[in-house]
Amino acid sequence: MSVMDTALRESLKVLRLSGMLETLDARLAQAHGGELGHLDFLQVLCQDEITRRETVAFQRRLHRAKVEQQVTLEEFDFTASSKLPAAQIRDLAALRWLHAGESVILFGSVGVGKTHIAQALGHLAVRQGANVRFAKTSRIVAELAGGHADRTWDKRMRELIRPDVLILDDFAMRQMTAAQADDLYELVSERQGRSLIITSNRASSEWYPLFRNPVVAESLLDRLINTSHQVIMNGPSYRPNKRPRNPTDKNGTATAKDS
């Protein structure tokens, strides 16, 4: 390594551009071989750093999203059922709803792929630079309840308001207490203009009895239902398609002993 190379490396560190060191040797070899001129060398090296920073930022946002699985829409098998609204889901992949501050509700029975689609839409949002948070609705309600107990409710609420997209999985699974309903109402109200993605096994008409206070129920659910893109996912369970196949079964179907 020449004195000039050493000085360049030290300068990059001082300028907080040390990421360029990952590709510096390769780019120097290209320059020495005549493949890159002076300006080309500088431009390519800068692009390497931009790409590296974008990759690091993407991985950081994906980690903060706390998704259960890092799945994508490209991985989803839309041929699993002819009843799946493939065109509607692919339209949502354009993320116009995100840029408009709108929400998405995915309805369907257990196993049809609602959580996969919710996380995949979140993954697309992360790719476009959005901050995303995924959680079971029961977990969110528990977090806010804990905030009342230790006086950190405001802080916890701010953390849930901050993401560009908040994914509430398994919404309306069970009846809520008055305090839980109030917390959920505050969360939805404070997130006006910020997108939600909700998955639910119940039709929206079945949500109301789960809230003890009909006034809170009407206000909360009106904000959710009437301002969201609603996707009805019908069809058989998607999960058998994801189950590891038995290598001894030619048809890929598990036997009674294997199930």
Side-chain angles (χ1 to χ4, degrees), residues 35-52:
E35 297 177 38
L36 297 174
H38 295 91
L39 290 178
D40 292 331
F41 170 76
L42 181 59
Q43 192 279 327
V44 171
L45 202 58
C46 288
Q47 187 58 53
D48 289 341
E49 175 66 9
I50 291 171
T51 300
R52 186 195 69 83

Side-chain angles (χ1 to χ4, degrees), residues 20-110:
M20 288 184 176
L21 295 174
E22 296 177 10
T23 56
L24 179 59
D25 289 337
R27 298 311 184 192
L28 282 172
Q30 287 181 293
H32 291 154
E35 297 177 38
L36 297 174
H38 295 91
L39 290 178
D40 292 331
F41 170 76
L42 181 59
Q43 192 279 327
V44 171
L45 202 58
C46 288
Q47 187 58 53
D48 289 341
E49 175 66 9
I50 291 171
T51 300
R52 186 195 69 83
R53 291 190 181 193
E54 289 177 345
T55 300
V56 169
F58 167 76
Q59 293 296 339
R60 187 181 298 117
R61 290 194 304 275
L62 198 59
H63 176 74
R64 286 200 302 258
K66 299 181 180 179
V67 293
E68 291 182 333
Q69 293 179 301
Q70 294 184 17
V71 294
T72 66
L73 207 58
E74 293 86 348
E75 297 170 353
F76 191 78
D77 183 11
F78 286 100
T79 65
S81 172
S82 60
K83 296 181 179 180
L84 288 172
Q88 184 183 12
I89 293 172
R90 289 193 174 101
D91 185 63
L92 292 173
L95 301 185
R96 287 184 290 269
W97 53 272
L98 171 59
H99 303 308
E102 298 167 345
S103 297
V104 176
I105 303 178
L106 304 165
F107 296 101
S109 56
V110 175

Side-chain angles (χ1 to χ4, degrees), residues 14 17 19 22 44 53 80 119 122-123 153 158 167 170 189 192-193 230 237:
V14 171
L17 296 172
E22 296 177 10
V44 171
R53 291 190 181 193
Q119 292 181 113
H123 195 279
W153 187 88
R158 286 194 299 271
I167 303 175
D170 290 338
S189 298
Q192 283 294 102
Q230 299 181 36
S237 176

Side-chain angles (χ1 to χ4, degrees), residues 111 237-244:
S237 176
Y238 180 73
R239 289 174 184 167
N241 299 328
K242 305 294 286 184
R243 186 182 301 151

Side-chain angles (χ1 to χ4, degrees), residues 9 26 28 35 78 101 111 124 129 162 176 184 210 220-221 229 250-251:
R9 292 170 187 273
L28 282 172
E35 297 177 38
F78 286 100
L124 283 171
R162 186 177 299 116
M176 294 192 177
L184 205 54
L210 302 178
L220 169 61
L221 301 182
H229 298 267
K250 294 181 180 180
N251 296 321

